[in-house]
Amino acid sequence: PITDSISEYLRDHEGGNHSDKTLEWHFTALNLLCRYLEEERKILCIEEVRASDISGWFAYMRKTPGAHKKVRCERTIQTYARSARAFFNWLVRRGTIEANPFDQVVFPKVGRPLIKTIEPEEFEQLLQACTPPHESGALVERAGARNRAILWLFYDTGIRVSELCSLRMGQLDRKHGVLTVMGKGSKERRIALGNNCLRQLLHYLDRHRPDEQELTEWGSSGEDHLFLAETRRPLTKNGVEMLFKRLKERAGITDKRISPHILRHTFAMNYLIKSNDPFSL
């Protein structure tokens, strides 16, 4: 059955220590394919899938709205198709099927967009927006210090949202200004921080991050995540997304998307311009 094959494929990925994001991506794509095959083609077993069924799935995704009631863009369709193709390649390697039906279809193609970055002036606008206007007090100063440290970390290191949210106190080497980051697949890497970034980070940690007494009062005794939400719990990916939405509105930037991933692109472009070394990047 297709459902059993998908479950086994996801377990194999999980056993290979693939990231939660990768598992979520495959789960979404393959369940969309499974639902299409069952409802539109009346196919329940993986051996029955033919190239025409795959082509029909591509056309179906272009015509039907996605989860947010919007028509899927070509890049989304290609992303789902890549996941399904990898799944069928895995089935061939396992001997479940003899041939991959994707070998006989025209794969969705999309143009490669220009990488979007933010300008130094826009980054300055975001820094100024870290503190809510017309507000004051210790908690406002704390939020501003934390937000500036977060912005500088994204801008100066290019780390991912998940990596920032999982940072612990023990991963910062204060003496040498180095962070040990746990990336995809439990891969560790050491990242040197620039002077501005390190200064903002230490300012937040030493002057504004809740101390142990405050954490205990809030029921978070021993909490050692670097960045904490107003609840004194670890900052989450959703919390970072909401933060960037607020910063964009306060900064008055309306002509482009502002996100941690844009800062990751900006770091990469700045690094290449300064070092001309794509291999180390």
Side-chain angles (χ1 to χ4, degrees):
I2 297 173
T3 52
D4 291 355
S5 297
I6 291 174
S7 297
E8 190 174 348
Y9 178 66
L10 295 175
R11 282 196 298 271
D12 198 27
H13 269 281
E14 191 172 2
N17 200 27
H18 291 186
S19 70
D20 291 340
K21 192 69 178 178
T22 299
L23 289 169
E24 179 184 343
W25 168 46
H26 285 306
F27 177 84
T28 301
L30 296 177
N31 276 280
L32 178 62
L33 172 61
C34 181
R35 191 163 62 249
Y36 165 78
L37 291 173
E38 181 178 345
E39 295 177 0
E40 303 295 327
R41 297 277 176 159
K42 311 304 178 187
I43 295 175
L44 299 178
C45 292
I46 203 70
E47 295 91 344
E48 300 174 22
V49 180
R50 300 291 180 263
S52 58
D53 301 315
I54 301 299
S55 298
W57 181 48
F58 294 161
Y60 172 83
M61 287 193 288
R62 291 189 181 92
K63 295 175 182 177
T64 58
H68 300 290
K69 308 303 179 184
K70 295 181 180 179
V71 176
R72 299 179 182 88
C73 68
E74 287 298 322
R75 185 162 298 279
T76 298
I77 293 173
Q78 187 195 62
T79 299
Y80 288 161
R82 285 167 51 203
S83 176
R85 181 174 61 182
F87 169 59
F88 278 91
N89 280 331
W90 176 84
L91 290 169
V92 172
R93 293 197 303 273
R94 294 286 289 257
T96 304
I97 59 177
E98 294 183 359
N100 188 341
F102 274 81
D103 294 341
Q104 303 170 30
V105 301
V106 177
F107 199 76
K109 292 183 178 181
V110 295
R112 185 178 292 274
L114 289 174
I115 291 178
K116 293 182 175 62
T117 62
I118 67 168
E119 300 298 324
E121 298 79 14
E122 293 171 324
F123 182 66
E124 192 64 36
Q125 288 176 256
L126 292 172
L127 289 174
Q128 294 174 7
C130 283
T131 302
H134 315 302
E135 294 185 30
S136 60
L139 292 180
V140 173
E141 291 181 10
R142 170 184 287 178
R146 185 204 64 178
N147 297 344
R148 282 188 290 273
I150 289 173
L151 278 178
W152 270 107
L153 259 181
F154 281 131
Y155 187 77
D156 204 47
T157 67
I159 62 175
R160 302 177 178 91
V161 176
S162 58
E163 294 170 345
L164 180 132
C165 292
S166 64
L167 285 173
R168 308 276 183 147
M169 298 290 285
Q171 291 174 252
L172 172 63
D173 181 343
R174 288 169 169 259
K175 181 179 179 181
H176 298 99
V178 172
L179 269 178
T180 300
V181 176
M182 185 70 70
K184 287 185 176 181
S186 299
K187 296 176 184 175
E188 279 190 353
R189 67 184 190 280
R190 289 168 62 80
I191 302 176
L193 306 179
N195 290 333
N196 287 330
C197 180
L198 182 60
R199 183 168 62 250
Q200 294 292 338
L201 182 57
L202 293 180
H203 176 73
Y204 161 66
L205 294 177
D206 295 339
R207 298 191 181 186
H208 294 285
R209 186 183 183 277
D211 58 22
E212 185 56 34
Q213 179 180 346
E214 182 178 346
L215 290 174
T216 300
E217 292 173 355
W218 279 74
S220 299
S221 178
E223 178 55 67
D224 68 340
H225 279 84
L226 220 60
F227 294 106
L228 303 178
E230 289 74 8
T231 58
R232 281 66 167 180
R233 300 286 182 180
L235 191 64
T236 63
K237 179 184 175 183
N238 186 55
V240 174
E241 290 174 352
M242 293 175 62
L243 168 62
F244 269 76
K245 182 178 179 180
R246 292 195 299 269
L247 292 178
K248 179 182 177 180
E249 291 175 355
R250 290 179 199 157
I253 301 174
T254 59
D255 59 341
K256 67 171 61 175
R257 183 168 177 258
I258 299 296
S259 69
H261 207 71
I262 296 296
L263 291 179
R264 182 168 166 83
H265 287 172
T266 303
F267 162 78
M269 292 296 291
N270 290 340
Y271 187 93
L272 287 176
I273 291 170
K274 294 174 182 177
S275 69
N276 194 30
D277 185 5
F279 180 79
S280 63
L281 173 65

PDB file of all heavy atoms in Angstrom, residues 172-178 190 198 202:
ATOM      1  N   LEU A 172      28.461  29.457  23.869  1.00  0.00           N
ATOM      2  CA  LEU A 172      29.159  30.719  23.599  1.00  0.00           C
ATOM      3  C   LEU A 172      30.501  30.730  24.320  1.00  0.00           C
ATOM      4  O   LEU A 172      30.574  30.611  25.547  1.00  0.00           O
ATOM      5  CB  LEU A 172      28.312  31.907  24.064  1.00  0.00           C
ATOM      6  CG  LEU A 172      29.001  33.272  24.010  1.00  0.00           C
ATOM      7  CD1 LEU A 172      29.369  33.635  22.572  1.00  0.00           C
ATOM      8  CD2 LEU A 172      28.127  34.345  24.637  1.00  0.00           C
ATOM      9  N   ASP A 173      31.568  30.868  23.553  1.00  0.00           N
ATOM     10  CA  ASP A 173      32.913  31.040  24.094  1.00  0.00           C
ATOM     11  C   ASP A 173      33.176  32.541  24.164  1.00  0.00           C
ATOM     12  O   ASP A 173      33.531  33.175  23.175  1.00  0.00           O
ATOM     13  CB  ASP A 173      33.936  30.348  23.179  1.00  0.00           C
ATOM     14  CG  ASP A 173      35.360  30.456  23.700  1.00  0.00           C
ATOM     15  OD1 ASP A 173      35.626  31.312  24.568  1.00  0.00           O
ATOM     16  OD2 ASP A 173      36.224  29.694  23.228  1.00  0.00           O
ATOM     17  N   ARG A 174      32.982  33.109  25.354  1.00  0.00           N
ATOM     18  CA  ARG A 174      33.106  34.548  25.518  1.00  0.00           C
ATOM     19  C   ARG A 174      34.529  35.041  25.237  1.00  0.00           C
ATOM     20  O   ARG A 174      34.725  36.101  24.623  1.00  0.00           O
ATOM     21  CB  ARG A 174      32.715  34.948  26.941  1.00  0.00           C
ATOM     22  CG  ARG A 174      31.229  34.855  27.238  1.00  0.00           C
ATOM     23  CD  ARG A 174      30.963  35.014  28.720  1.00  0.00           C
ATOM     24  NE  ARG A 174      29.541  35.177  28.996  1.00  0.00           N
ATOM     25  CZ  ARG A 174      28.961  36.342  29.240  1.00  0.00           C
ATOM     26  NH1 ARG A 174      29.685  37.455  29.237  1.00  0.00           N
ATOM     27  NH2 ARG A 174      27.668  36.412  29.486  1.00  0.00           N
ATOM     28  N   LYS A 175      35.490  34.288  25.699  1.00  0.00           N
ATOM     29  CA  LYS A 175      36.888  34.715  25.589  1.00  0.00           C
ATOM     30  C   LYS A 175      37.307  34.889  24.139  1.00  0.00           C
ATOM     31  O   LYS A 175      37.990  35.858  23.779  1.00  0.00           O
ATOM     32  CB  LYS A 175      37.800  33.706  26.289  1.00  0.00           C
ATOM     33  CG  LYS A 175      39.268  34.089  26.249  1.00  0.00           C
ATOM     34  CD  LYS A 175      40.116  33.064  26.979  1.00  0.00           C
ATOM     35  CE  LYS A 175      41.597  33.448  26.909  1.00  0.00           C
ATOM     36  NZ  LYS A 175      42.454  32.437  27.611  1.00  0.00           N
ATOM     37  N   HIS A 176      36.912  33.954  23.295  1.00  0.00           N
ATOM     38  CA  HIS A 176      37.333  33.982  21.904  1.00  0.00           C
ATOM     39  C   HIS A 176      36.246  34.504  20.966  1.00  0.00           C
ATOM     40  O   HIS A 176      36.475  34.628  19.756  1.00  0.00           O
ATOM     41  CB  HIS A 176      37.751  32.575  21.452  1.00  0.00           C
ATOM     42  CG  HIS A 176      38.910  32.028  22.212  1.00  0.00           C
ATOM     43  ND1 HIS A 176      38.756  31.142  23.271  1.00  0.00           N
ATOM     44  CD2 HIS A 176      40.251  32.261  22.098  1.00  0.00           C
ATOM     45  CE1 HIS A 176      39.946  30.830  23.749  1.00  0.00           C
ATOM     46  NE2 HIS A 176      40.870  31.494  23.068  1.00  0.00           N
ATOM     47  N   GLY A 177      35.053  34.807  21.502  1.00  0.00           N
ATOM     48  CA  GLY A 177      33.972  35.324  20.666  1.00  0.00           C
ATOM     49  C   GLY A 177      33.514  34.332  19.625  1.00  0.00           C
ATOM     50  O   GLY A 177      33.339  34.683  18.456  1.00  0.00           O
ATOM     51  N   VAL A 178      33.312  33.078  20.053  1.00  0.00           N
ATOM     52  CA  VAL A 178      32.966  32.011  19.122  1.00  0.00           C
ATOM     53  C   VAL A 178      31.702  31.287  19.594  1.00  0.00           C
ATOM     54  O   VAL A 178      31.548  31.002  20.779  1.00  0.00           O
ATOM     55  CB  VAL A 178      34.124  31.000  18.974  1.00  0.00           C
ATOM     56  CG1 VAL A 178      33.692  29.794  18.163  1.00  0.00           C
ATOM     57  CG2 VAL A 178      35.326  31.677  18.317  1.00  0.00           C
ATOM     58  N   ARG A 190      31.778  25.806  14.336  1.00  0.00           N
ATOM     59  CA  ARG A 190      32.154  26.939  15.172  1.00  0.00           C
ATOM     60  C   ARG A 190      32.157  28.197  14.324  1.00  0.00           C
ATOM     61  O   ARG A 190      32.693  28.225  13.221  1.00  0.00           O
ATOM     62  CB  ARG A 190      33.539  26.698  15.792  1.00  0.00           C
ATOM     63  CG  ARG A 190      33.501  25.604  16.860  1.00  0.00           C
ATOM     64  CD  ARG A 190      34.899  25.164  17.262  1.00  0.00           C
ATOM     65  NE  ARG A 190      35.684  26.236  17.849  1.00  0.00           N
ATOM     66  CZ  ARG A 190      35.572  26.649  19.109  1.00  0.00           C
ATOM     67  NH1 ARG A 190      34.679  26.065  19.902  1.00  0.00           N
ATOM     68  NH2 ARG A 190      36.322  27.613  19.573  1.00  0.00           N
ATOM     69  N   LEU A 198      29.218  40.517  18.875  1.00  0.00           N
ATOM     70  CA  LEU A 198      29.590  40.037  20.212  1.00  0.00           C
ATOM     71  C   LEU A 198      29.213  41.058  21.280  1.00  0.00           C
ATOM     72  O   LEU A 198      28.712  40.688  22.349  1.00  0.00           O
ATOM     73  CB  LEU A 198      31.086  39.747  20.253  1.00  0.00           C
ATOM     74  CG  LEU A 198      31.628  39.187  21.579  1.00  0.00           C
ATOM     75  CD1 LEU A 198      30.955  37.859  21.923  1.00  0.00           C
ATOM     76  CD2 LEU A 198      33.135  39.017  21.509  1.00  0.00           C
ATOM     77  N   LEU A 202      26.631  40.151  24.292  1.00  0.00           N
ATOM     78  CA  LEU A 202      27.047  40.201  25.699  1.00  0.00           C
ATOM     79  C   LEU A 202      26.254  41.252  26.473  1.00  0.00           C
ATOM     80  O   LEU A 202      25.965  41.064  27.660  1.00  0.00           O
ATOM     81  CB  LEU A 202      28.548  40.499  25.788  1.00  0.00           C
ATOM     82  CG  LEU A 202      29.468  39.391  25.260  1.00  0.00           C
ATOM     83  CD1 LEU A 202      30.925  39.800  25.406  1.00  0.00           C
ATOM     84  CD2 LEU A 202      29.214  38.072  25.969  1.00  0.00           C
TER      85      LEU A 202
END
